[in-house]
Amino acid sequence: MNDQGEKGEKLEKMRHSASHVMAEAVGSLFPGAKFGIGPVIEDGFYYDFDLPRPLTPDDLPIIEKGMREIIASDSPFTWEEVDKDKARRIFCEQPYKLELIDELPDQLLTIYRQGSFTDLCRGPHVESTGEIKAFKLMSTAGAYWRGDEHRPMLQRIYGVAFETEDELGGHLERLAEAARRDHRRLGKELDLYSIHEEAGPGLVFWHPKGAVVRHIIEEFWVKEHIKRGYEIVYTPHIAKLDLWKRSGHWELYHDYLYSPMDVEGQEYIIKPMNCPGHILMYKTRIRSYRELPIRWAELGTVYRYERSGVLHGLARVRGFTQDDAHIFCRPDQLEDEVIGVLELAQFMMHTFGFSDYEVLLSTRPERYAGTIEVWDEATRTLERSLARLKLPYMVDPGEGVFYGPKIDIKVRDALGRGWQGPTTQVDFNLPERFDVNYIAEDGRERRVVMIHRTVLGSMERFFACLIEHYGGAFPVWLAPVQGVMIPIADRHLEYAQRIKGELLAEGMRAQVDARPERMNLKIREAELQKIPYMLIVGDNEVSDSTVSVRLRSGDDLGALSLQGFKAMAKGAIEAKR
Amino acid sequence: MNDQGEKGEKLEKMRHSASHVMAEAVGSLFPGAKFGIGPVIEDGFYYDFDLPRPLTPDDLPIIEKGMREIIASDSPFTWEEVDKDKARRIFCEQPYKLELIDELPDQLLTIYRQGSFTDLCRGPHVESTGEIKAFKLMSTAGAYWRGDEHRPMLQRIYGVAFETEDELGGHLERLAEAARRDHRRLGKELDLYSIHEEAGPGLVFWHPKGAVVRHIIEEFWVKEHIKRGYEIVYTPHIAKLDLWKRSGHWELYHDYLYSPMDVEGQEYIIKPMNCPGHILMYKTRIRSYRELPIRWAELGTVYRYERSGVLHGLARVRGFTQDDAHIFCRPDQLEDEVIGVLELAQFMMHTFGFSDYEVLLSTRPERYAGTIEVWDEATRTLERSLARLKLPYMVDPGEGVFYGPKIDIKVRDALGRGWQGPTTQVDFNLPERFDVNYIAEDGRERRVVMIHRTVLGSMERFFACLIEHYGGAFPVWLAPVQGVMIPIADRHLEYAQRIKGELLAEGMRAQVDARPERMNLKIREAELQKIPYMLIVGDNEVSDSTVSVRLRSGDDLGALSLQGFKAMAKGAIEAKR
């Protein structure tokens, strides 16, 4: 075990002990409280209670105070092995514990005690309550006993615990920063998108300010794909269910597919994937080995059913636009094609400001299509591609899709949180199911190899990631509004409008804040809207033909000539900064 | 009656008489033939027969020969009024005629005779068969008696007839040209799109060469809209059925809507229209009069059920992408907004090479939403907009949509055929149903006026129109492949590839035809593919750093420097030629 592991184990013991201390404090506050379970989770712990009244946020400081007293008393944790009968006697007033005891195998059970509290628990714990360091209770939530909606609803208290107050402070600061950057919050504040109960959960409406970012990304994406030898295609959003039966998607994923629609007695579904459509187009004529590789890219909107409970802003939705592409190639072209995809993926990640990512190679799972030989050969090809690119990677054994091995890239945002990034998947299955071939140099029909790949994933999730990564302060090239003109008085309005016109003519996104409000308020609101450039114009600027430039960071660049400002802004846009 | 009308009436009489002559010829060939009906249609006529055997294309010349003999005999058309009893005796062996007689009111009926043929017919006819001039039988088809699939299937023969052989020849030439330009034929020959029985009829798959044209159009469309103060939005393709009940689309158009899907016990449908989605976004916050007009544009894909019998290539489909926009404005802004839309529509039509179009103003229909005052005011506003633009137009009385008056533009293609073009519709209904308001200058809530508009219609139908208008020879800026390099021998291949690279770097779409085929075959195929520029390179071109340019028209421009060619091609692209 390494230091990290030792430290982790120590932290876990401390967090678990904190949950017992919390339970003791709650027990003192609510005599007759019934206890559920209290495990360790990431960064902390929780405990579930059956209490005589609902908890309010005001209860948490009181419980924390009780916990601090227990910690100050430095009571030892002691343990004992008891048989089930004795355990039943100890927990005779704790129905949830009794239920757990009944279900445990007939052997000695461990119980832990500290102060006035006794729990059925395997441990381990710290030596005494004094070892519990920095902690904080975070929130309460309802939780069904054993996760079963037919059992009683208990009250859960969540807490976090760290070894030092500094670490706790850092954690709370990260949480606050994550909340400030939450794309659901910024999506509303910056007027980027909305989701409507009237239309249905998980269905995204892109407002102008979100849509302009998406459109810039899509335009850039299309250009970059064309440059790299892809061709753009469009396919319909519905198709006969039979197509999805043939592809195997119905059998494997029907829980995620929408229910069929009836059209002239035939069942149609809204598409969950773009691949079968591309295959139909491939098969409209005989393809020669000379035509391959064929690289077809589509910003293809797909629909998958997710339970409403798991939907999350833009990050988990029911309809999303994949930046999809399928490559049809010969086996001897696979290595170069994978390299091409990975290079494009890296280029895209860097362009959008993600320099921290990890690469995972997922290999053959237990259930798989094709032969072991083909899998091994394809996996070796992926390894060779990664080696040629000198890309460090980890192997995720058995985590490939059933139809082939894959390379996933997981990116880390500015707060160090991981997001699912580009994926490159080899597919042996669909070419078999749809009989997708080419005529080889020797005149014989051969199976193509298919690659499925996305480099952004979906426009929705990628946008969520971008919003949180930048905290809504998009780089200039993506900013919905790049510059706002702020006239100091009404007499500067005409000049402001003229400058705006000049910026629009250069293809920049500029606005004038012409409201009859004070300059400071306009500046404050422009900062909240994360507009990169505030161009303040008053008497001096009008007479000198300049603009006073203020950045959203609060930095003042002073007066610049209009030429000077345009050069600076266009430089940032061209460099995709 | 004007000359046009007189000429038209004369033609109609002649075509109707030709149908009787055809019936006489068929009757001579098939004794015992039973006759259905034989009306005049555009450019000609048809007659439905119940015959002892199916007709084949070989029968048509024989029937034509019979008709020519009847015409040569110059038999007079005579008519007589008879009562129903006498009519029944005359047509005692003609069950279809008897059925018609039974249903006619109890009064004198007209019968027409020529040669051996007698028909129940109101006339009028020409004086004698000799007046029938240039005609031709075109095709046969099955047709249910009285259009009822439960009645017998008759055999229909279609013919055309004109006053002169020249006019007939012109008509046949136009038909042949239309067939050559048929977008379904060119769609296949030029590899532009496909439709698949496996996915479902009426669902379009855009192949790379069609998709690139669509993408260029969309990019241009977006830029032009942004320039004119529109903002781009995206909305999902499915929504709860309730939304469409509230909008009124369900009640009015449910025959065209797809059947609902079940999601967590709620009914969802695939969207037939984009408007309710834009309204939901509008209503995410309170809008001030200062924010208006709001112009939201979406390339929104919608799905409408059409019976498979009426589907037609790209022109009538089940899923299509509207170049949609909704304008939310104050009543006092309506006139300027309509002018803006009409200017944009004209600009678009001219850009895509349509200079011939007519403008129709459709007024209040019998069933309408809103008050007569509001309708009259809006109609006057549309009239004022048209007058300010000095746009000649015709009024189509009562042809407005139930929710407001509209202006439609019908464009004529290179063959003079009409296509549905831009539409601008005022809507009083949805703002009421969804309570869509703004805060007026006086602080009170007022209803917005909504405009629905498309300037291309749908990407699918517009593309069909473009293909047929240009006969597949798209102008350079739209051509899927703008230039093809044709090396004379293998030793010129490297030079060809280098030139192609230079063209690609300029953003042009260029290919090299590297196949081991003869130059003449490559030129012929490039012409069939309607590629604007063929760049032939041999020893001279390599040594002089030139390209020999051949146009798809067959014109040779001789050797040009690469710079000279690029300047020419880029000039055409920039001028959208």
Side-chain angles (χ1 to χ4, degrees):
Chain A
M1 188 176 290
N2 57 21
D3 284 2
Q4 192 65 34
E6 252 176 60
K7 192 179 174 211
E9 195 172 89
K10 206 172 146 205
L11 252 176
E12 283 221 347
K13 267 202 312 203
M14 198 254 277
R15 285 168 178 160
H16 191 182
S17 303
S19 102
H20 281 221
V21 168
M22 176 169 76
E24 183 181 354
V26 168
S28 305
L29 270 172
F30 298 98
K34 310 292 179 223
F35 299 96
I37 56 164
V40 171
I41 53 174
E42 197 182 351
D43 301 322
F45 57 89
Y46 70 76
Y47 213 113
D48 289 343
F49 307 102
D50 191 341
L51 302 175
R53 67 158 174 86
L55 292 168
T56 70
D58 293 342
D59 292 317
L60 296 187
I62 299 167
I63 298 168
E64 281 181 349
K65 190 163 166 276
M67 289 173 71
R68 269 192 292 275
E69 284 165 10
I70 296 164
I71 290 166
S73 74
D74 200 17
S75 335
F77 280 89
T78 60
W79 64 280
E80 180 184 347
E81 285 188 328
V82 297
D83 62 24
K84 286 180 88 168
D85 275 349
K86 185 166 181 197
R88 283 195 188 94
R89 283 196 302 278
I90 293 169
F91 296 103
C92 60
E93 290 180 359
Q94 292 294 338
Y96 302 109
K97 300 293 178 188
L98 288 174
E99 184 179 329
L100 296 175
I101 292 166
D102 282 346
E103 290 176 12
L104 285 169
D106 231 0
Q107 58 187 45
L108 288 179
L109 308 178
T110 319
I111 58 169
Y112 269 85
R113 285 203 175 89
Q114 97 272 5
S116 63
F117 182 71
T118 304
D119 208 347
L120 181 74
C121 170
R122 260 193 299 266
H125 281 279
V126 293
E127 296 286 313
S128 65
T129 57
E131 285 182 39
I132 296 167
K133 307 293 182 189
F135 75 94
K136 185 170 169 53
L137 301 189
M138 303 299 289
S139 59
T140 61
Y144 290 110
W145 169 237
R146 313 195 82 171
D148 179 348
E149 57 184 339
H150 305 296
R151 308 298 306 274
M153 167 82 86
L154 306 183
Q155 300 194 68
R156 175 173 297 176
I157 303 177
Y158 286 103
V160 294
F162 290 88
E163 296 226 42
T164 66
E165 289 294 337
D166 263 12
E167 283 173 14
L168 173 62
H171 177 74
L172 296 178
E173 179 43 46
R174 276 193 304 280
L175 285 184
E177 183 60 29
R180 273 193 295 277
R181 288 169 179 250
D182 189 314
H183 73 274
R184 294 167 302 173
R185 172 181 174 165
L186 286 171
K188 207 173 163 69
E189 284 175 10
L190 304 180
D191 200 11
L192 301 174
Y193 78 95
S194 58
I195 291 174
H196 299 266
E197 192 50 43
E198 292 145 282
L203 300 171
V204 180
F205 292 75
W206 295 71
H207 291 205
K209 284 183 181 162
V212 71
V213 179
R214 171 168 167 180
H215 184 72
I216 294 163
I217 296 173
E218 288 184 344
E219 236 187 340
F220 167 64
W221 185 93
V222 167
K223 276 215 182 75
E224 201 54 43
H225 277 74
I226 289 174
K227 204 185 283 178
R228 291 166 192 254
Y230 286 80
E231 297 175 301
I232 304 300
V233 298
Y234 301 81
T235 63
H237 302 102
I238 58 174
K240 286 184 187 168
L241 181 54
D242 284 345
L243 191 62
W244 308 99
K245 288 186 173 161
R246 181 164 183 196
S247 71
H249 291 116
W250 178 252
E251 192 191 332
L252 275 159
Y253 302 115
H254 65 264
D255 284 349
Y256 288 94
L257 304 189
Y258 283 82
S259 64
M261 302 171 254
D262 172 83
V263 183
E264 293 180 345
Q266 299 250 15
E267 289 187 312
Y268 284 65
I269 60 166
I270 187 157
K271 77 173 163 182
M273 267 133 191
N274 303 305
C275 6
H278 292 193
I279 290 174
L280 289 183
M281 290 198 294
Y282 180 95
K283 291 186 57 145
T284 51
R285 55 187 172 84
I286 291 170
R287 307 283 175 175
S288 145
Y289 68 97
R290 274 196 235 93
E291 286 179 75
L292 303 184
I294 283 175
R295 306 185 191 104
W296 283 345
E298 176 171 18
L299 291 160
T301 308
V302 297
Y303 289 84
R304 297 185 195 162
Y305 169 68
E306 302 269 6
R307 270 166 302 163
S308 38
V310 302
L311 298 173
H312 182 83
L314 295 170
R316 192 120 175 221
V317 292
R318 286 184 173 164
F320 51 96
T321 300
Q322 291 185 309
D323 70 310
D324 210 357
H326 293 98
I327 298 174
F328 300 87
C329 67
R330 307 188 305 256
D332 63 288
Q333 295 172 320
L334 182 59
E335 184 174 325
D336 282 346
E337 289 306 309
V338 170
I339 285 178
V341 171
L342 292 174
E343 282 176 337
L344 173 57
Q346 286 179 286
F347 171 77
M348 285 283 180
M349 292 304 101
H350 284 292
T351 303
F352 287 102
F354 299 98
S355 49
D356 185 7
Y357 48 82
E358 53 198 49
V359 181
L360 292 167
L361 169 63
S362 302
T363 57
R364 196 179 68 245
E366 281 188 30
R367 266 191 70 206
Y368 59 92
T371 65
I372 293 202
E373 293 70 46
V374 172
W375 269 86
D376 286 351
E377 176 51 32
T379 308
R380 277 195 301 272
T381 305
L382 294 187
E383 285 166 350
R384 276 198 305 276
S385 307
L386 289 164
R388 270 176 58 194
L389 285 171
K390 298 191 174 56
L391 256 182
Y393 65 96
M394 294 193 303
V395 174
D396 213 353
E399 286 300 310
V401 205
F402 79 96
Y403 48 70
K406 65 171 179 166
I407 295 172
D408 285 338
I409 298 182
K410 195 169 156 184
V411 301
R412 296 207 168 274
D413 70 10
L415 296 190
R417 297 166 306 172
W419 293 78
Q420 194 181 315
T423 186
T424 310
Q425 312 181 344
V426 181
D427 187 343
F428 309 127
N429 177 51
L430 287 180
E432 289 293 327
R433 281 178 174 264
F434 282 95
D435 200 18
V436 188
N437 303 320
Y438 65 96
I439 305 296
E441 206 160 0
D442 61 9
R444 288 166 58 188
E445 248 189 7
R446 300 277 165 90
R447 279 275 184 278
V448 299
V449 179
M450 259 184 97
I451 301 173
H452 308 258
R453 42 113 293 181
T454 64
V455 293
L456 306 178
S458 78
M459 299 315 293
E460 286 73 12
R461 193 181 59 213
F462 187 67
F463 191 41
C465 175
L466 273 188
I467 295 170
E468 301 204 356
H469 182 57
Y470 290 115
F474 297 108
V476 182
W477 74 290
L478 293 175
V481 179
Q482 294 168 320
V484 58
M485 307 294 310
I486 301 181
I488 293 176
D490 276 355
R491 64 182 180 280
H492 311 120
L493 193 54
E494 196 190 319
Y495 179 73
Q497 293 287 11
R498 187 162 62 73
I499 304 291
K500 173 192 149 190
E502 289 196 33
L503 296 177
L504 291 183
E506 302 267 358
M508 285 185 64
R509 297 181 291 282
Q511 285 182 347
V512 173
D513 188 344
R515 293 174 303 163
E517 302 286 355
R518 289 177 40 246
M519 184 181 79
N520 283 344
L521 179 112
K522 294 183 182 182
I523 289 176
R524 175 82 191 119
E525 290 192 359
E527 280 174 358
L528 286 174
Q529 287 295 306
K530 326 264 182 184
I531 297 173
Y533 303 113
M534 283 153 257
L535 307 179
I536 297 148
V537 293
D539 290 337
N540 289 341
E541 287 78 11
V542 172
S543 65
D544 302 349
S545 292
T546 59
V547 287
S548 278
V549 181
R550 186 185 164 97
L551 305 182
R552 55 191 161 189
S553 60
D555 291 339
D556 266 319
L557 302 189
L560 295 183
S561 70
L562 185 61
Q563 274 320 105
F565 168 70
K566 282 201 286 197
M568 177 179 73
K570 291 185 78 174
I573 292 167
E574 272 157 34
K576 300 207 164 34
R577 276 187 280 118
Chain B
M1 187 176 293
N2 58 21
D3 284 2
Q4 192 65 35
E6 253 176 59
K7 192 179 174 211
E9 194 172 272
K10 206 171 145 203
L11 251 176
E12 283 220 348
K13 269 202 312 203
M14 198 254 277
R15 286 171 178 157
H16 190 182
S17 302
S19 104
H20 282 221
V21 168
M22 175 169 76
E24 183 181 354
V26 168
S28 306
L29 269 171
F30 298 97
K34 310 292 179 223
F35 300 95
I37 57 166
V40 171
I41 53 173
E42 198 182 352
D43 301 322
F45 56 90
Y46 69 77
Y47 213 113
D48 290 342
F49 307 102
D50 191 341
L51 301 176
R53 67 157 173 87
L55 293 167
T56 70
D58 293 341
D59 291 318
L60 296 186
I62 299 167
I63 299 168
E64 281 180 350
K65 186 162 168 278
M67 289 173 71
R68 271 192 291 275
E69 285 165 9
I70 296 165
I71 290 166
S73 73
D74 201 18
S75 335
F77 279 88
T78 59
W79 65 280
E80 180 182 348
E81 284 188 329
V82 297
D83 61 24
K84 285 180 89 167
D85 275 350
K86 184 166 182 195
R88 284 195 188 92
R89 284 197 300 277
I90 293 169
F91 294 104
C92 60
E93 290 180 0
Q94 292 294 337
Y96 303 108
K97 299 293 179 190
L98 289 174
E99 184 178 329
L100 295 175
I101 292 167
D102 283 345
E103 291 175 12
L104 285 169
D106 231 0
Q107 58 188 45
L108 290 180
L109 306 179
T110 320
I111 58 169
Y112 267 85
R113 286 203 174 87
Q114 95 274 6
S116 63
F117 183 71
T118 304
D119 207 348
L120 180 74
C121 171
R122 261 194 299 267
H125 281 277
V126 293
E127 296 286 313
S128 65
T129 58
E131 285 181 40
I132 296 168
K133 308 292 181 188
F135 76 94
K136 184 169 172 53
L137 301 189
M138 301 299 289
S139 59
T140 61
Y144 291 109
W145 169 238
R146 313 195 83 172
D148 179 347
E149 58 184 340
H150 305 296
R151 307 298 305 274
M153 167 81 86
L154 306 182
Q155 299 193 68
R156 176 173 297 176
I157 303 177
Y158 286 102
V160 294
F162 290 87
E163 295 226 42
T164 66
E165 289 294 336
D166 261 12
E167 282 173 12
L168 173 62
H171 177 75
L172 296 179
E173 179 43 45
R174 275 192 305 280
L175 284 185
E177 182 60 28
R180 273 193 295 277
R181 289 170 180 249
D182 190 314
H183 73 274
R184 295 166 302 173
R185 171 180 174 166
L186 286 172
K188 207 173 162 69
E189 284 174 10
L190 304 180
D191 200 12
L192 301 175
Y193 78 95
S194 58
I195 290 174
H196 299 266
E197 193 51 41
E198 291 145 284
L203 300 171
V204 180
F205 291 75
W206 295 70
H207 291 205
K209 284 183 181 163
V212 71
V213 180
R214 171 168 166 181
H215 184 72
I216 295 164
I217 296 173
E218 289 185 343
E219 236 188 340
F220 167 65
W221 184 94
V222 168
K223 276 216 183 75
E224 202 54 42
H225 278 73
I226 289 174
K227 204 185 282 177
R228 291 166 191 255
Y230 286 81
E231 297 174 301
I232 304 300
V233 297
Y234 300 81
T235 63
H237 302 103
I238 59 175
K240 285 185 185 167
L241 180 55
D242 284 345
L243 191 63
W244 309 100
K245 288 186 173 161
R246 182 165 182 194
S247 72
H249 290 116
W250 177 253
E251 191 191 331
L252 276 159
Y253 302 116
H254 65 265
D255 283 349
Y256 289 95
L257 305 189
Y258 284 82
S259 64
M261 302 171 254
D262 173 83
V263 182
E264 293 181 342
Q266 298 250 17
E267 289 187 312
Y268 284 66
I269 60 167
I270 187 157
K271 75 173 165 184
M273 267 133 190
N274 304 304
C275 5
H278 292 194
I279 290 175
L280 289 184
M281 290 198 294
Y282 180 94
K283 291 185 56 143
T284 51
R285 55 187 172 85
I286 291 170
R287 307 283 175 176
S288 146
Y289 68 96
R290 274 195 235 95
E291 287 178 75
L292 303 183
I294 283 175
R295 306 185 190 103
W296 283 345
E298 177 171 18
L299 292 160
T301 309
V302 297
Y303 289 83
R304 298 185 194 161
Y305 169 68
E306 300 270 6
R307 270 166 302 164
S308 38
V310 302
L311 297 174
H312 181 83
L314 295 171
R316 193 120 175 222
V317 291
R318 286 185 173 164
F320 51 97
T321 300
Q322 291 185 309
D323 70 310
D324 210 357
H326 294 97
I327 298 173
F328 299 87
C329 67
R330 307 188 305 254
D332 63 288
Q333 295 171 322
L334 183 59
E335 184 174 324
D336 281 347
E337 289 307 308
V338 170
I339 285 179
V341 171
L342 292 173
E343 281 176 337
L344 173 57
Q346 286 179 286
F347 171 77
M348 285 283 180
M349 292 303 101
H350 284 292
T351 302
F352 287 102
F354 299 98
S355 49
D356 185 7
Y357 48 82
E358 54 199 47
V359 181
L360 292 168
L361 168 64
S362 302
T363 58
R364 196 180 67 244
E366 281 188 29
R367 264 190 71 205
Y368 59 92
T371 66
I372 292 202
E373 292 71 43
V374 172
W375 269 86
D376 287 351
E377 175 52 32
T379 308
R380 276 195 301 274
T381 306
L382 294 186
E383 285 166 351
R384 276 198 305 275
S385 307
L386 290 163
R388 272 177 57 195
L389 285 171
K390 298 190 172 60
L391 257 181
Y393 65 95
M394 294 193 303
V395 174
D396 212 354
E399 286 301 310
V401 205
F402 80 96
Y403 49 70
K406 64 170 178 167
I407 296 172
D408 284 338
I409 297 182
K410 195 168 156 185
V411 301
R412 296 207 168 276
D413 70 10
L415 297 190
R417 297 167 305 172
W419 293 78
Q420 193 181 317
T423 185
T424 310
Q425 312 181 344
V426 181
D427 187 344
F428 310 128
N429 178 52
L430 287 180
E432 288 293 327
R433 283 179 173 263
F434 283 95
D435 199 18
V436 188
N437 302 320
Y438 65 95
I439 304 296
E441 206 160 359
D442 61 9
R444 288 166 57 187
E445 247 188 10
R446 298 279 165 88
R447 278 275 183 276
V448 298
V449 179
M450 258 184 97
I451 301 173
H452 307 259
R453 41 114 293 183
T454 64
V455 293
L456 306 177
S458 78
M459 299 314 294
E460 285 73 11
R461 194 182 58 213
F462 187 68
F463 191 41
C465 175
L466 274 187
I467 295 169
E468 302 204 357
H469 182 58
Y470 289 115
F474 298 107
V476 182
W477 75 290
L478 292 176
V481 179
Q482 295 168 319
V484 58
M485 307 294 311
I486 301 180
I488 293 176
D490 276 355
R491 65 182 179 280
H492 311 120
L493 193 54
E494 196 191 318
Y495 179 74
Q497 294 287 10
R498 187 161 61 75
I499 306 291
K500 174 193 149 190
E502 290 196 31
L503 297 177
L504 291 184
E506 303 267 357
M508 284 185 64
R509 297 181 291 282
Q511 285 183 346
V512 173
D513 189 344
R515 293 174 304 162
E517 303 286 356
R518 288 177 40 246
M519 184 180 81
N520 283 344
L521 179 111
K522 293 181 182 182
I523 289 176
R524 176 81 191 119
E525 291 191 359
E527 281 174 358
L528 286 174
Q529 286 295 306
K530 327 263 183 188
I531 297 172
Y533 303 113
M534 284 154 257
L535 307 180
I536 297 147
V537 293
D539 289 337
N540 289 342
E541 287 78 11
V542 172
S543 66
D544 302 349
S545 293
T546 59
V547 288
S548 279
V549 180
R550 186 185 164 96
L551 305 181
R552 56 191 161 189
S553 60
D555 291 340
D556 266 319
L557 303 190
L560 296 183
S561 71
L562 185 61
Q563 275 320 105
F565 168 71
K566 282 201 285 197
M568 177 179 73
K570 290 185 78 174
I573 292 167
E574 272 157 33
K576 300 207 163 36
R577 275 188 279 118

